[in-house]
Amino acid sequence: MEFEALSPEIIQDTTNSPSPDDSVPIDQIDSTLGSTHIDLISSSLSSTILACSDEWFAPASNLTTPTPPIRRPGVFVPTGAWYDGWETRRHNPNEYDWVVIKLGVSSGRPKGVEVDTAFFDGNHAEAVSVQGCFEVGEGADQRVLEHGYAGWKEVLGMRNCGPSRRHAWRVKGGMEVTHVRLCMFPDGGIARFRLYGDVVPVFPESMDREVELSAAAMGGVVVAASAEHFGSRRGNLLLPGRGVDMGGGWETPRSRARAKGHVDWAIVRLGEKGEVWYTVVDTAFYRGNFPQGVMVAAGDFADGETVGAESEKWVEILETQKLGPDEEHRYERAMLKNVEGKAYTHVKMTIIPDGGVKRFRVFALPPASVGRLQCKGHLVRSVSFPFHSRQPDLPALSSRATDKMTIDIYKPYQPTSDLPCLLCLHGGGTSAAIFNIQTRRLQKVLANHFRFVFVDAPFEGEAGPGVLPFFEGMAPYRRWINSEGDDECKVRPLLQRTMDEDGGDFVGVLGFSQGARLALGLLHEKQERRVGAFNNFGFGVFLCGTYPPLGLESALFPVAPVAKFKDQHWDSRHEAVLNIPSIHVLGAKDPFLYKSRLLVQCSEPSTSTVYKFDIGHHLPVKPADNQMLADRIVDLYVEYAQGIKRMDMTQLKKGLGRSEVHELTFPI
């Protein structure tokens, strides 16, 4: 039941159905899916069977049992032979039977599906499909059960199943789900249903206390272990509770035949990098087979970096301690070392020499940027990429740099074809010219899809964070906020004039830092049908955005007006969440990360995509990062254009202020 951090494929709210060649061979299911992801619907995580179409012969609750199915030949119950699985009646008058399951975690992204028809032969399911939805808030469980509920999206298309065997398929895409529906065609029996994927953790509103960052529900995963034996699994270490017997922990074989000085170990990747506060090693139910001692080490590893047991990056944080039987051992902060002011990504527990441990818990304080996050039910999506520790490879410009030299070094990518346009709003203390340079990598990837149109903010000010010395000599530096508190009316005419003079078809708005705040405010105006709103924008891209959003008039509550801005928090008493499709890009090393996370809260989770790259307060540098971001931008445009095309002319004129159907202007 282990899993790894989010893979680089994506964070997006649509998903691609896997092709049949994405099936996983039986002998590779555990190594491909079971050892790299968590079973999001395992009953060990308190998943819930909400409803099913039928369970005449065997209950649907068996589907999520974490242990392998068993057989009891000759055992009968009132309805027939006993089966360890879910079995429905024959002759289903409908197309399929179904079961709806609520995940055992706040939400997750499916990466693989397993359907096991063990011991069902002649009465097995002939085919299956899986759907998912994201539904939160009061009454969510009831809504997903309503007839005609429109929130279901395909996770896995129909796949054929054979008798008494395991079947598994990889799932591409990154749709975030809270509930799943398994459809069985036309009826029959299934022993086990596993939904392997990545947890999307939710941090509590108050972050002034330690968080169990090792917990499976927070995204923790046991990425490696020296051994597993007696049917135990290393992922059990991170489950909630203390279990009911010795079977639900991690146990290794006896080491008497192995080399002297033998130890066993398990490596945990924390759900979030943090400063370790205390640890717990629980030997519940292990009485004659508990380890004699334990020690704990921690390390800070880059995403994608090999984490080996012998790595030189490991730092001992807990010296060897003696363990006792059937006891919860807690090691407080005072007993730890090498933890003050240090944040780690991984923790290694070493048991001496072998034995069984029920649970291993690591309580830690996330970094300050995470500590200031107030999730309030918004699930922050994050994706992990290999570390890229270099600063953007922009040569610094000296004050003696000539205009020609600047152009030669920072040659922007300027497509000349007639393409849909993105209005680009620079950050505070920069300019349109600087933002043109900063986005050149993204522009290059999107050269066949969009034109980037840049506009200078109306107010001058000092250079913003990170602008110097890279862009020395490129003053004046401009801002969207007027520190003098007047002339707020300059912004709207400026934007309108820029788009009118360009004459292009503006379909989206892209903003960085302070510009992202304004971009969100513009979309919010459209959503609220404000007078003068720019109704042509179909989506927004917010890069390292800060908080709170900016509006163009004081009446746009609770978005802060441009000229009278105060750093006040979004008023949760008003439902002003943006539901227009959007993308948020967060920097893991951004000193303003907490503000970016607060801006994320202003977007509806089901319509927003959030990437967390290993960058500071600047745009993505790594080609793979830019490609992924570009792919999602194209997806949003395609969805927007196709949605416009489906609307009738009356809706176009009334709702979007357009008089003609928007056609795609580049190949999909």
Side-chain angles (χ1 to χ4, degrees):
M1 294 178 58
E2 310 73 62
F3 68 102
E4 62 185 2
L6 305 180
S7 63
E9 292 107 303
I10 96 83
I11 278 197
Q12 58 188 30
D13 291 317
T14 58
T15 178
N16 299 320
S17 178
S19 57
D21 61 3
D22 278 333
S23 61
V24 180
I26 295 177
D27 60 351
Q28 297 179 22
I29 294 176
D30 292 334
S31 61
T32 302
L33 298 176
S35 64
T36 56
H37 301 284
I38 191 172
D39 181 6
L40 299 171
I41 56 173
S42 171
S43 60
S44 297
L45 294 174
S46 301
S47 61
T48 306
I49 305 293
L50 295 182
C52 63
S53 58
D54 183 78
E55 50 184 346
W56 177 261
F57 290 110
S61 58
N62 289 330
L63 287 171
T64 59
T65 302
T67 55
I70 61 174
R71 187 183 183 190
R72 293 180 179 176
V75 176
F76 287 83
V77 292
T79 55
W82 183 90
Y83 276 93
D84 186 9
W86 171 47
E87 186 180 5
T88 63
R89 283 175 279 203
R90 295 182 183 227
H91 314 305
N92 184 10
N94 300 312
E95 182 182 1
Y96 54 82
D97 279 315
W98 54 266
V99 57
V100 175
I101 305 173
K102 181 179 181 179
L103 271 58
V105 296
S106 56
S107 69
R109 295 188 182 83
K111 298 297 181 182
V113 170
E114 179 185 351
V115 172
D116 189 350
T117 57
F119 311 119
F120 286 98
D121 189 350
N123 56 347
H124 61 280
E126 293 185 353
V128 297
S129 69
V130 179
Q131 299 166 331
C133 69
F134 185 92
E135 192 71 44
V136 295
E138 185 177 355
D141 293 347
Q142 290 70 37
R143 288 193 294 274
V144 302
L145 298 178
E146 293 175 355
H147 179 70
Y149 174 68
W152 294 114
K153 297 181 181 179
E154 183 177 283
V155 173
L156 179 74
M158 187 183 294
R159 296 290 185 269
N160 294 326
C161 295
S164 193
R165 56 164 291 177
R166 298 173 71 185
H167 314 73
W169 305 270
R170 298 180 185 88
V171 174
K172 296 181 180 179
M175 179 173 67
E176 184 178 335
V177 301
T178 55
H179 302 72
V180 290
R181 179 168 67 175
L182 171 66
C183 299
M184 175 169 60
F185 299 84
D187 49 43
I190 297 173
R192 295 290 186 269
F193 172 39
R194 315 269 190 225
L195 185 72
Y196 298 106
D198 301 321
V199 175
V200 179
V202 176
F203 290 95
E205 180 174 347
S206 175
M207 295 293 290
D208 57 354
R209 297 189 61 184
E210 308 82 32
V211 178
E212 188 184 352
L213 294 182
S214 60
M218 292 299 293
V221 53
V222 183
V223 295
S226 57
E228 293 173 302
H229 215 67
F230 307 112
S232 66
R233 302 186 66 181
R234 64 198 191 204
N236 292 340
L237 286 168
L238 310 183
L239 294 177
R242 302 187 69 198
V244 295
D245 55 36
M246 194 172 62
W250 172 61
E251 187 175 2
T252 64
R254 301 187 186 216
S255 59
R256 57 191 178 193
R258 289 179 276 180
K260 185 178 180 180
H262 172 83
V263 297
D264 282 314
W265 48 264
I267 298 175
V268 177
R269 179 170 54 224
L270 303 178
E272 182 79 39
K273 186 175 181 178
E275 181 179 338
V276 179
W277 210 256
Y278 67 91
T279 66
V280 175
V281 178
D282 191 356
T283 57
F285 302 103
Y286 291 101
R287 300 183 178 94
N289 50 354
F290 62 93
Q292 294 301 295
V294 64
M295 65 167 291
V296 180
D300 184 10
F301 294 87
D303 288 356
E305 181 179 357
T306 300
V307 182
E310 303 301 323
S311 172
E312 295 181 355
K313 287 191 174 183
W314 291 118
V315 177
E316 185 178 78
I317 63 172
L318 177 68
E319 296 178 350
T320 302
Q321 305 291 322
K322 183 174 178 58
L323 292 177
D326 196 12
E327 182 180 352
E328 194 172 54
H329 306 77
R330 175 165 168 156
Y331 304 106
E332 299 289 355
R333 174 81 165 187
M335 301 181 64
L336 305 182
K337 60 182 181 179
N338 298 317
V339 294
E340 187 70 34
K342 298 180 180 179
Y344 297 107
T345 59
H346 293 68
V347 176
K348 181 178 71 169
M349 176 183 67
T350 301
I351 57 174
I352 305 168
D354 53 48
V357 175
K358 177 56 65 69
R359 300 289 184 262
F360 176 48
R361 310 191 191 283
V362 179
F363 291 82
L365 291 175
S369 55
V370 178
R372 296 187 180 96
L373 168 64
Q374 296 181 346
C375 284
K376 296 183 179 178
H378 190 105
L379 309 180
V380 179
R381 304 169 177 83
S382 62
V383 63
S384 299
F385 289 92
F387 266 31
H388 186 82
S389 58
R390 293 186 297 109
Q391 292 295 319
D393 52 352
L394 301 175
L397 291 180
S398 68
S399 58
R400 295 173 293 177
T402 64
D403 291 341
K404 183 178 186 302
M405 179 180 177
T406 302
I407 294 173
D408 289 341
I409 295 176
Y410 299 112
K411 184 177 181 180
Y413 205 90
Q414 291 286 8
T416 57
S417 57
D418 186 15
L419 296 173
C421 301
L422 298 178
L423 181 66
C424 302
L425 308 177
H426 61 76
T430 63
S431 66
I434 292 175
F435 197 32
N436 194 344
I437 295 166
Q438 291 171 326
T439 57
R440 73 196 189 286
R441 296 181 180 88
L442 186 60
Q443 290 186 61
K444 186 173 182 179
V445 179
L446 290 171
N448 294 325
H449 303 289
F450 299 100
R451 277 198 305 114
F452 285 59
V453 178
F454 299 86
V455 55
D456 273 318
F459 311 116
E460 294 187 12
E462 297 179 354
V467 172
L468 302 177
F470 294 118
F471 301 107
E472 186 176 353
M474 296 188 69
Y477 306 111
R478 298 181 174 276
R479 309 178 62 83
W480 298 105
I481 299 173
N482 184 6
S483 59
E484 301 299 325
D486 57 5
D487 295 330
E488 65 182 70
C489 59
K490 288 184 177 181
V491 177
R492 191 188 304 278
L494 175 65
L495 299 180
Q496 188 65 63
R497 184 170 63 252
T498 298
M499 291 187 286
D500 291 344
E501 292 177 353
D502 180 88
D505 185 12
F506 287 82
V507 296
V509 57
L510 179 149
F512 173 76
S513 191
Q514 191 180 102
R517 295 169 57 190
L518 178 58
L520 194 148
L522 295 177
L523 292 181
H524 187 269
E525 278 195 340
K526 172 187 174 179
Q527 177 176 300
E528 297 298 307
R529 299 178 181 270
R530 299 283 181 178
V531 176
F534 299 105
N535 291 322
N536 47 330
F537 295 140
F539 58 90
V541 182
F542 313 130
L543 307 168
C544 295
T546 49
Y547 179 89
L550 296 176
L552 298 184
E553 55 183 72
S554 57
L556 184 56
F557 183 84
V559 181
V562 170
K564 300 177 181 178
F565 164 71
K566 294 182 179 180
D567 195 6
Q568 56 189 7
H569 289 297
W570 185 275
D571 194 325
S572 60
R573 297 171 300 173
H574 295 74
E575 296 181 358
V577 175
L578 180 71
N579 55 35
I580 295 175
S582 62
I583 301 171
H584 290 261
V585 171
L586 282 61
K589 297 180 179 179
D590 188 349
F592 304 106
L593 175 59
Y594 74 99
K595 288 191 175 183
S596 296
R597 290 185 183 270
L598 288 171
L599 193 70
V600 169
Q601 295 179 53
C602 302
S603 296
E604 166 62 36
S606 62
T607 59
S608 61
T609 299
V610 182
Y611 295 99
K612 182 180 175 184
F613 298 132
D614 188 57
I615 57 176
H617 194 65
H618 56 79
L619 274 71
V621 177
K622 193 175 179 66
D625 297 356
N626 281 283
Q627 185 63 59
M628 182 159 301
L629 176 58
D631 289 344
R632 184 57 182 147
I633 292 174
V634 172
D635 288 344
L636 289 189
Y637 170 64
V638 171
E639 293 166 9
Y640 169 60
Q642 292 176 342
I644 294 290
K645 190 172 183 178
R646 287 192 296 266
M647 297 176 66
D648 58 38
M649 298 300 293
T650 301
Q651 289 174 311
L652 283 170
K653 294 176 181 179
K654 179 180 179 181
L656 296 175
R658 302 174 67 90
S659 58
E660 57 186 357
V661 174
H662 187 88
E663 298 286 353
L664 291 173
T665 54
F666 59 79
I668 302 177

